[in-house]
Amino acid sequence: MCKRFLSLILVILTAMAIMIPAAHAEEEESASAGYYYVYTENGKGLNVRATPGGEVVGSLKYGTRIYCYYKDNGNGWALIDYTYDNPGFGRGTYACFVSNRFLRKSKPAPRSSAKNTASASTVAVAAEDPLIALNAEFRSAKKVSPFTVYTRPTRASGWVNLRWAPSKSAEILGTYKANAALTVIQEMTNWYQVEDSETGLVGFVDKNFVNQ
């Protein structure tokens, strides 16, 4: 009888030892879940997409508090709740994606719009107007002898966006991990127009995220 009891205790302890690592793994997967605030360096909105890098279904204002289910530091996207009119399904709250680099745990400070003078205000508005900035960038374009640049994300696990126009609000045509080779065909003040020789895609990359 004593041996049977000891055998039963051993079986129970073995089962518990197997279950503990599994429970710990599940806890790690959900460690990034919780409420976050939208933070963008320029104070503009953050695009919300139906899939990672996919169709834009809306945007979140600077400082908006949202619930995040999971932040994937591998591909740079976060899964969130977002309410919008989904064609075919109607208005509701759906699982959507945002770039996790623009999420913060603490509430960001309000963006100040106060200016010292009327002229300073006019200059600031012009600088922040996407269309004015886009036109200025296009006017600065000049042809160059083609040369190669290599993508340089801000973090090792990140990526660099190829956009259809020289603007951070322009549609993303493709994404590249670190050290991807692109051929520069035109140079602008802040952007390069480049060609991907493997896919044939032509678009624009921010100069800050490439090296020669």
Side-chain angles (χ1 to χ4, degrees), residues 33-200:
Y35 284 97
Y36 290 81
Y37 292 90
V38 173
Y39 175 86
T40 54
E41 290 84 352
N42 58 11
K44 295 181 181 179
L46 174 62
N47 284 337
V48 180
R49 300 178 183 273
T51 57
E55 178 189 3
V56 176
V57 297
S59 65
L60 294 166
K61 292 181 179 180
Y62 175 93
T64 301
R65 184 172 182 256
I66 60 169
Y67 186 80
C68 171
Y69 288 106
Y70 181 65
K71 289 177 68 180
D72 189 336
N73 293 323
N75 65 22
W77 294 96
L79 180 67
I80 67 164
D81 268 344
Y82 185 69
T83 302
Y84 72 104
D85 291 314
N86 190 339
F89 295 93
R91 185 168 184 80
T93 302
Y94 303 93
C96 295
F97 296 85
V98 296
S99 175
N100 66 24
R101 63 182 288 227
F102 299 112
L103 299 183
R104 300 286 187 277
K105 272 291 188 181
S106 57
K107 187 174 182 179
R111 301 289 294 190
S112 175
S113 59
K115 304 298 176 182
N116 294 330
T117 64
S119 59
S121 177
T122 303
V123 171
V125 169
E128 293 177 2
D129 186 300
L131 184 57
I132 292 175
L134 182 61
N135 288 337
E137 197 68 23
F138 272 124
R139 284 197 301 270
S140 72
K142 60 181 179 181
K143 289 184 179 181
V144 296
S145 297
F147 61 93
T148 302
V149 292
Y150 300 89
T151 51
R152 181 181 61 85
T154 54
R155 62 183 187 280
S157 61
W159 66 93
V160 173
N161 293 322
L162 177 71
R163 298 182 181 273
W164 76 269
S167 168
K168 290 183 179 179
S169 61
E171 180 184 353
I172 296 172
L173 301 178
T175 57
Y176 298 89
K177 292 291 187 180
N179 298 317
L182 297 169
T183 302
V184 175
I185 55 179
Q186 276 200 112
E187 183 175 1
M188 300 179 177
T189 302
N190 302 301
W191 296 76
Y192 287 127
Q193 185 178 28
V194 298
E195 181 179 4
D196 182 340
S197 59
E198 292 187 3
T199 64

